[in-house]
Amino acid sequence: MTEALTPDALVTSDVSGASGQTPASPVAGAVPVTSEDVQSAVYAIADRSRKAARRMSQANRAWKDRALRAIGASLLEQQKQVLEANAKDVAAGKANGTSAALLDRLTLTPARIEGLVAALENLAGLPDPVGNVVRGQTLPNGLRLRQVNVPMGVVAAIYEARPNVTVDIAGLALKSGNAVILRGGSAAAHTNEALVRILREALDSVGLPADAVQTVDQFGREGANVLMRARGKVDVLIPRGGRDLIQTVVTNSSVPVIETGEGNVHIFIDESASEKMAVEILLNAKTQRPSVCNTVETLLVHSGATVLPAVAKALRSAGVRLHVDERIAAALGPDVETVPADDEDWATEYMDLDLAVAMVDSLDEAVKHIRTWTTGHTEAILTNNLANAEKFIAEVDSAAVIVNASTRFTDGGELGLGAEVGISTQKLHARGPMGLTELTTTKWIVQGEGQVRS
C-alpha cells in the first residue's frame, strides 16, 4: 500500500528558521509564520539555489567528484549521528501506525549507508554528462553546429519517508552540475536534517557552494505548495513516492514536472518457462524488498505452464499472500492457501508480501491484461520461446521490458547509472531510470565566421 501525500510529504504545520541554511529540526522549536513569509523564504532559497547552480554548471568533473567522495566519507564518519536521527523517525513512525512497507523505506542501517556511499563512489566513476556532444555538423554555408548536454539548473524533489533519496538525488544533481531543493517529508524529518547538514558541509569543504543543496522541510505543507508554484525560479520538479503524492504534485504544480510513476509490475510465465528459473525469479522479484516500486505485483501464468504449483508453494513458504482468480484457485487446490482476487487486486501496487495471480490462455491475453492494468513501469516475460520474447517486447509499452530476469533490475544502480532520481513512466524528456543524463537538457552552439542569412 502506498502512503498518501497528505500524511507525510506535504502536511505538517511546523515552521522554523527561514535562513535557507541547514535547518533547525522541523519538529522542534517551530515558529508559526504567515503564508506570505513562507513564500518569501522559499523564493529566497530558490534564488540562492539559482546562484549556486551557476557555479555548479562551471565546475569540472574532478571538482564534482571530490564533492561526491567527501559526502561519502562524511556519511561514514557521521554514521552514528545519522542512525540515531533515523531511529527517532522510525520510532515515531511505529507509534503513528506507519505500514511495514513504509517503515522499511524509512529505515537506514549500516549496510544501507554503505550502499549510499557505494552509489556515490559509482557516480564519481561515471563520465560527466555536461558538455557531451549529442550531435553536430558543419552546414554548407560553413556554420558549425553542436548540440550539447547542459545542466537543468535548479532541480526540486518532493518525496516521502525515503532518506536514501536525499543522498541519491543530491548526488545526481551535483554530478550533473545542478543545484537541488529537497522536500523530504515529516516522517524522515530528523534523518533528512542530519543528511542535509552532511551534504552542505561536504560541499563547503571542497569549495563548492553549500547552497547547491537546500531543503524546505522546515516550512511544512506550505513550503511544498510554494515550491510547486515557483515557476521561473525552479526549473524542474520531480515527485517520488506513492500515487497520491505523485498525482497531487502533477495536478497542482506550475513548475514543469517529470512524473515518476507507481509500479504495478507484471511477470508473465509462458508455457515454455523452466521451473527453476520461474521459482528463483519470482522469489527475488517479490520478496527481496517488497516495499519498492520494481517489485512484482501481478503474476500471469499461461494455462499450459507446468510451473505454477512449484512457484506458488515457494511464494507461500516465503510468506507471500496469493490473491488469485478462480482458475488459479482450482489449479492449486486446497493444499495452497489463497484468497480470492477482484479488480482492485489487478490495480493494486501492494508494496508488501502480497501478489495477485491470474491464469491466461495465450500471450495475447497476457498482453491484454497488462495493457488494461499497467502503470507503465516494468513488465517481464519468462520464456524459452524466442518468438514469444520478441512479441512481448514489441507489444508491451512500458518504461522497462524484461526477458528472463527479475523486475528488481529496473534500478539506476543495477543498470549502471550509478543511482537514480526515480523511474519515469512518462514519455517526454525521460523514461525509465533517471540518471545523470536525464538531469540535463541541451543547448545548441552555432559558430560562424561572419555568415548572414540570405
Side-chain angles (χ1 to χ4, degrees), residues 93-352:
K94 290 178 179 178
N96 293 332
T98 300
S99 70
L102 283 166
L103 283 174
D104 177 64
R105 289 185 170 193
L106 176 62
T107 301
L108 289 180
T109 64
R112 288 184 179 180
I113 290 177
E114 289 177 5
L116 291 174
V117 174
L120 290 167
E121 182 61 37
N122 286 339
L123 273 179
L126 293 176
D128 189 340
V130 178
N132 174 60
V133 178
V134 178
R135 53 182 167 171
Q137 63 176 315
T138 300
L139 300 180
N141 63 5
L143 287 177
R144 300 185 303 279
L145 308 182
R146 285 178 295 148
Q147 184 185 21
V148 301
N149 290 115
V150 296
M152 286 281 191
V154 178
V155 176
I158 296 178
Y159 51 102
E160 54 189 358
R162 306 171 185 216
N164 65 296
V165 174
T166 300
V167 178
D168 285 345
I169 289 184
L172 285 161
L174 297 171
K175 175 81 179 208
S176 53
N178 297 289
V180 65
I181 303 174
L182 304 168
R183 166 56 176 159
S186 58
H190 294 95
T191 314
N192 286 333
E193 178 188 353
L195 292 174
V196 169
R197 176 182 53 77
I198 289 170
L199 288 161
R200 289 173 59 86
E201 289 174 353
L203 285 169
D204 187 63
S205 73
V206 299
L208 287 172
D211 282 339
V213 177
Q214 297 189 81
T215 178
V216 296
D217 276 349
Q218 63 270 42
F219 305 116
R221 177 177 187 172
E222 186 57 29
N225 289 334
V226 172
L227 196 62
M228 288 189 283
R229 298 192 300 266
R231 188 178 182 91
K233 292 182 175 291
V234 174
D235 294 295
V236 64
L237 177 58
I238 302 169
R240 184 168 173 181
R243 177 179 177 81
D244 289 342
L245 183 152
I246 292 165
Q247 292 307 313
T248 298
V249 173
V250 169
T251 300
N252 295 307
S253 179
S254 61
V255 172
V257 174
I258 297 177
E259 183 174 353
T260 60
E262 61 182 316
N264 189 10
V265 171
H266 298 76
I267 291 180
F268 168 53
I269 300 178
D270 90 346
E271 58 187 332
S272 69
S274 71
E275 180 178 301
K276 182 176 185 295
M277 179 175 68
V279 169
E280 290 180 354
I281 287 177
L282 261 297
L283 282 174
N284 181 262
K286 183 71 255 185
T287 68
Q288 188 200 43
R289 195 173 178 192
S291 66
V292 294
C293 65
N294 55 21
T295 293
V296 64
E297 305 291 15
T298 296
L299 172 63
L300 304 174
V301 183
H302 193 287
S303 56
T306 60
V307 305
L308 176 61
V311 169
K313 288 178 181 178
L315 289 168
R316 284 296 303 133
S317 295
V320 178
R321 293 170 289 275
L322 303 177
H323 304 247
V324 305
D325 67 5
E326 293 179 356
R327 297 178 69 190
I328 293 290
L332 292 176
D335 292 340
V336 178
E337 183 182 359
T338 62
V339 296
D342 56 25
D343 281 355
E344 183 176 349
D345 289 291
W346 312 130
T348 298
E349 183 186 20
Y350 296 110
M351 304 178 80
D352 209 339

Side-chain angles (χ1 to χ4, degrees), residues 83-102:
L83 292 176
E84 287 174 352
N86 185 247
K88 294 178 183 178
D89 291 328
V90 172
K94 290 178 179 178
N96 293 332
T98 300
S99 70
L102 283 166

Side-chain angles (χ1 to χ4, degrees), residues 6 8-15 26 183 185-186 217 219-222:
T6 44
D8 176 41
L10 288 187
V11 171
T12 168
S13 59
D14 43 56
V15 180
R183 166 56 176 159
S186 58
D217 276 349
F219 305 116
R221 177 177 187 172
E222 186 57 29

Side-chain angles (χ1 to χ4, degrees), residues 266-270 298-303 358-374 379-381 388 391-392 395-396:
H266 298 76
I267 291 180
F268 168 53
I269 300 178
D270 90 346
T298 296
L299 172 63
L300 304 174
V301 183
H302 193 287
S303 56
M359 185 172 287
V360 295
D361 292 320
S362 66
L363 173 58
D364 288 336
E365 190 177 339
V367 170
K368 181 179 179 181
H369 182 107
I370 291 170
R371 287 175 177 168
T372 301
W373 300 106
T374 184
E379 327 299 347
I381 181 173
N388 283 353
K391 182 178 174 67
F392 190 85
E395 296 191 8
V396 171

